Amino acid sequence: MRLPRLVHDAQPDLTGLWRSRWPAAPPIGHLVGDPYGEVWVRFHSLPESKRYPDDEGEYAVVLERYNTVLDELFAGQDVHLVTSAWTTGPDLPRRRPRAGHWQTLLVTDDPDPRFRTHQHLFVTRRTWRRGCLDRLLRAVADDAVADVLITDTLMRRVHHPYDGGADVLLTGPGERDRLRGRHADWLSRHPDGF
Protein backbone atom coordinates (compact mmCIF):
# COMPACT_ATOMS: atom_id res chain seq x y z
CA MET A 1 0.00 0.00 0.00
CA ARG A 2 1.23 3.45 -0.88
CA LEU A 3 1.27 5.83 2.08
CA PRO A 4 -0.13 9.35 1.78
CA ARG A 5 2.36 12.10 0.98
CA LEU A 6 2.58 15.28 3.06
CA VAL A 7 1.64 18.30 0.94
CA HIS A 8 1.41 21.05 3.59
CA ASP A 9 2.50 21.08 7.23
CA ALA A 10 1.02 23.95 9.24
CA GLN A 11 2.23 22.62 12.61
CA PRO A 12 5.69 21.05 12.17
CA ASP A 13 6.19 20.57 15.93
CA LEU A 14 3.06 18.42 16.08
CA THR A 15 4.15 16.52 12.97
CA GLY A 16 7.58 15.92 14.49
CA LEU A 17 5.98 14.65 17.68
CA TRP A 18 3.77 12.25 15.70
CA ARG A 19 6.68 10.99 13.62
CA SER A 20 8.87 10.43 16.67
CA ARG A 21 6.20 8.24 18.28
CA TRP A 22 4.46 6.60 15.28
CA PRO A 23 6.90 6.77 12.34
CA ALA A 24 5.40 3.86 10.39
CA ALA A 25 1.95 5.41 9.90
CA PRO A 26 0.57 8.83 9.01
CA PRO A 27 -1.94 10.36 11.45
CA ILE A 28 -4.89 8.91 9.53
CA GLY A 29 -7.27 6.87 11.64
CA HIS A 30 -7.79 3.86 9.43
CA LEU A 31 -4.01 3.48 8.89
CA VAL A 32 -2.64 3.81 12.43
CA GLY A 33 -3.18 0.28 13.73
CA ASP A 34 -1.61 -1.86 11.00
CA PRO A 35 2.10 -1.38 11.75
CA TYR A 36 1.71 -1.41 15.53
CA GLY A 37 0.17 -4.78 16.38
CA GLU A 38 2.28 -5.15 19.52
CA VAL A 39 0.54 -2.15 21.15
CA TRP A 40 -2.79 -2.20 19.26
CA VAL A 41 -6.19 -3.40 20.43
CA ARG A 42 -9.60 -3.12 18.77
CA PHE A 43 -12.83 -2.86 20.72
CA HIS A 44 -16.24 -3.33 19.15
CA SER A 45 -18.95 -0.80 19.93
CA LEU A 46 -21.84 -3.20 20.27
CA PRO A 47 -22.37 -6.77 21.46
CA GLU A 48 -21.75 -9.55 18.94
CA SER A 49 -19.74 -7.11 16.77
CA LYS A 50 -22.87 -5.38 15.48
CA ARG A 51 -21.67 -2.43 13.44
CA TYR A 52 -24.40 0.25 13.63
CA PRO A 53 -26.78 1.17 16.46
CA ASP A 54 -30.50 0.99 15.69
CA ASP A 55 -32.02 2.73 18.70
CA GLU A 56 -31.22 4.97 21.64
CA GLY A 57 -30.40 1.99 23.85
CA GLU A 58 -27.71 0.87 21.42
CA TYR A 59 -26.37 4.44 21.08
CA ALA A 60 -26.05 4.46 24.88
CA VAL A 61 -23.96 1.26 24.72
CA VAL A 62 -21.74 2.73 21.96
CA LEU A 63 -21.13 5.96 23.88
CA GLU A 64 -20.55 4.09 27.15
CA ARG A 65 -17.87 1.94 25.53
CA TYR A 66 -16.14 4.86 23.80
CA ASN A 67 -16.22 6.98 26.95
CA THR A 68 -15.07 4.18 29.25
CA VAL A 69 -11.90 3.56 27.23
CA LEU A 70 -11.29 7.28 26.70
CA ASP A 71 -11.63 7.86 30.46
CA GLU A 72 -9.10 5.11 31.16
CA LEU A 73 -6.66 6.67 28.69
CA PHE A 74 -7.13 10.40 29.25
CA ALA A 75 -9.23 11.29 32.34
CA GLY A 76 -8.44 14.84 33.41
CA GLN A 77 -5.71 15.29 30.79
CA ASP A 78 -5.53 17.60 27.82
CA VAL A 79 -5.94 15.78 24.52
CA HIS A 80 -5.49 16.52 20.85
CA LEU A 81 -8.65 15.95 18.84
CA VAL A 82 -7.83 15.39 15.16
CA THR A 83 -10.56 15.56 12.54
CA SER A 84 -10.42 15.39 8.75
CA ALA A 85 -11.91 16.91 5.62
CA TRP A 86 -11.33 15.76 2.04
CA THR A 87 -10.99 17.68 -1.23
CA THR A 88 -9.74 17.00 -4.76
CA GLY A 89 -7.20 19.84 -4.49
CA PRO A 90 -4.60 20.88 -1.92
CA ASP A 91 -6.45 24.05 -0.87
CA LEU A 92 -8.25 23.94 2.44
CA PRO A 93 -11.99 23.35 2.18
CA ARG A 94 -14.22 26.38 2.60
CA ARG A 95 -16.24 24.58 5.25
CA ARG A 96 -13.96 23.10 7.85
CA PRO A 97 -13.92 22.22 11.53
CA ARG A 98 -13.41 24.93 14.14
CA ALA A 99 -9.87 23.76 14.74
CA GLY A 100 -6.39 24.66 13.58
CA HIS A 101 -5.13 23.23 10.33
CA TRP A 102 -2.42 20.67 11.08
CA GLN A 103 -1.44 19.21 7.73
CA THR A 104 -2.64 18.21 4.28
CA LEU A 105 -1.86 14.81 2.82
CA LEU A 106 -2.24 13.61 -0.76
CA VAL A 107 -3.92 10.25 -0.22
CA THR A 108 -4.88 9.41 -3.82
CA ASP A 109 -2.53 10.67 -6.54
CA ASP A 110 -4.51 10.12 -9.73
CA PRO A 111 -3.37 11.58 -13.08
CA ASP A 112 -6.88 13.02 -13.46
CA PRO A 113 -7.17 15.89 -10.95
CA ARG A 114 -10.89 15.17 -10.49
CA PHE A 115 -9.94 11.89 -8.82
CA ARG A 116 -7.12 13.08 -6.57
CA THR A 117 -7.89 13.08 -2.88
CA HIS A 118 -6.33 15.37 -0.31
CA GLN A 119 -7.01 14.77 3.35
CA HIS A 120 -6.81 17.88 5.51
CA LEU A 121 -6.17 17.25 9.20
CA PHE A 122 -7.40 19.72 11.80
CA VAL A 123 -6.46 19.66 15.46
CA THR A 124 -7.77 21.21 18.61
CA ARG A 125 -6.61 20.82 22.19
CA ARG A 126 -9.11 20.33 24.98
CA THR A 127 -9.37 18.81 28.41
CA TRP A 128 -10.89 15.34 28.30
CA ARG A 129 -13.97 14.77 30.40
CA ARG A 130 -16.49 11.99 30.01
CA GLY A 131 -19.18 12.87 27.48
CA CYS A 132 -17.42 15.93 26.05
CA LEU A 133 -17.27 14.37 22.57
CA ASP A 134 -20.56 12.47 22.58
CA ARG A 135 -22.01 14.39 19.64
CA LEU A 136 -18.91 13.69 17.54
CA LEU A 137 -18.70 10.06 18.68
CA ARG A 138 -22.35 9.54 17.77
CA ALA A 139 -21.62 10.90 14.27
CA VAL A 140 -18.64 8.52 14.05
CA ALA A 141 -20.90 5.61 15.05
CA ASP A 142 -23.24 6.56 12.18
CA ASP A 143 -20.31 6.80 9.71
CA ALA A 144 -21.14 10.49 9.19
CA VAL A 145 -17.60 11.43 10.36
CA ALA A 146 -14.43 9.41 9.74
CA ASP A 147 -10.72 9.34 10.59
CA VAL A 148 -11.00 10.94 14.02
CA LEU A 149 -8.03 10.57 16.35
CA ILE A 150 -7.85 11.41 20.04
CA THR A 151 -4.38 11.46 21.58
CA ASP A 152 -2.70 12.69 24.71
CA THR A 153 -0.62 15.81 24.09
CA LEU A 154 2.58 13.75 23.85
CA MET A 155 0.88 11.35 21.42
CA ARG A 156 1.83 8.29 23.47
CA ARG A 157 -1.70 6.88 23.32
CA VAL A 158 -4.06 7.06 20.34
CA HIS A 159 -7.79 6.35 20.24
CA HIS A 160 -9.35 6.03 16.78
CA PRO A 161 -13.13 5.64 17.00
CA TYR A 162 -14.80 4.32 13.86
CA ASP A 163 -18.24 3.05 12.90
CA GLY A 164 -18.32 -0.27 14.71
CA GLY A 165 -15.59 0.21 17.29
CA ALA A 166 -12.29 1.81 18.20
CA ASP A 167 -8.65 1.07 17.52
CA VAL A 168 -6.37 1.97 20.42
CA LEU A 169 -2.57 2.30 20.43
CA LEU A 170 -0.89 2.17 23.83
CA THR A 171 2.56 2.73 25.29
CA GLY A 172 3.53 -0.95 25.37
CA PRO A 173 2.29 -4.53 25.21
CA GLY A 174 1.68 -4.68 28.98
CA GLU A 175 -0.61 -1.66 28.95
CA ARG A 176 -2.38 -3.05 25.89
CA ASP A 177 -2.91 -6.42 27.60
CA ARG A 178 -4.29 -4.83 30.76
CA LEU A 179 -6.78 -2.67 28.82
CA ARG A 180 -7.76 -5.60 26.62
CA GLY A 181 -8.26 -7.76 29.73
CA ARG A 182 -10.55 -5.21 31.40
CA HIS A 183 -12.83 -5.19 28.35
CA ALA A 184 -12.43 -8.72 27.01
CA ASP A 185 -16.14 -8.99 26.20
CA TRP A 186 -15.78 -6.07 23.75
CA LEU A 187 -13.14 -7.84 21.65
CA SER A 188 -13.66 -9.50 18.29
CA ARG A 189 -13.79 -13.26 18.10
CA HIS A 190 -11.52 -13.09 15.05
CA PRO A 191 -8.10 -14.61 15.90
CA ASP A 192 -6.27 -11.47 14.73
CA GLY A 193 -8.55 -9.17 16.75
CA PHE A 194 -10.30 -7.53 13.80
Side-chain angles (χ1 to χ4, degrees), residues 67-133:
N67 278 292
T68 295
V69 172
L70 286 163
D71 264 356
E72 290 179 35
L73 298 176
F74 308 124
Q77 299 177 41
D78 280 1
V79 296
H80 290 302
L81 171 63
V82 181
T83 55
S84 295
W86 294 264
T87 62
T88 56
D91 294 334
L92 294 179
R94 281 182 245 186
R95 292 185 60 188
R96 57 182 179 248
R98 292 183 205 154
H101 176 241
W102 174 9
Q103 59 181 237
T104 297
L105 299 157
L106 178 61
V107 293
T108 307
D109 190 7
D110 193 282
D112 186 335
R114 295 174 299 159
F115 299 110
R116 286 187 193 128
T117 306
H118 290 80
Q119 186 167 348
H120 308 276
L121 304 179
F122 299 90
V123 66
T124 188
R125 184 174 172 155
R126 64 184 314 157
T127 301
W128 169 257
R129 61 177 172 62
R130 187 177 196 85
C132 72
L133 297 177

Side-chain angles (χ1 to χ4, degrees), residues 12-25:
D13 290 346
L14 199 57
T15 299
L17 186 59
W18 178 271
R19 285 182 177 161
S20 72
R21 183 65 180 122
W22 309 106

Side-chain angles (χ1 to χ4, degrees), residues 18 21-43 69 73-74 149-152 155-161 166-173 175-176 179:
W18 178 271
R21 183 65 180 122
W22 309 106
I28 294 177
H30 69 275
L31 298 176
V32 297
D34 285 342
Y36 297 106
E38 71 280 358
V39 296
W40 167 85
V41 62
R42 173 172 285 174
F43 296 112
V69 172
L73 298 176
F74 308 124
L149 295 176
I150 304 160
T151 77
D152 60 282
M155 296 189 169
R156 295 173 303 137
R157 294 176 183 89
V158 179
H159 185 279
H160 164 54
D167 288 334
V168 181
L169 300 178
L170 296 145
T171 59
E175 185 181 30
R176 179 216 44 209
L179 185 66

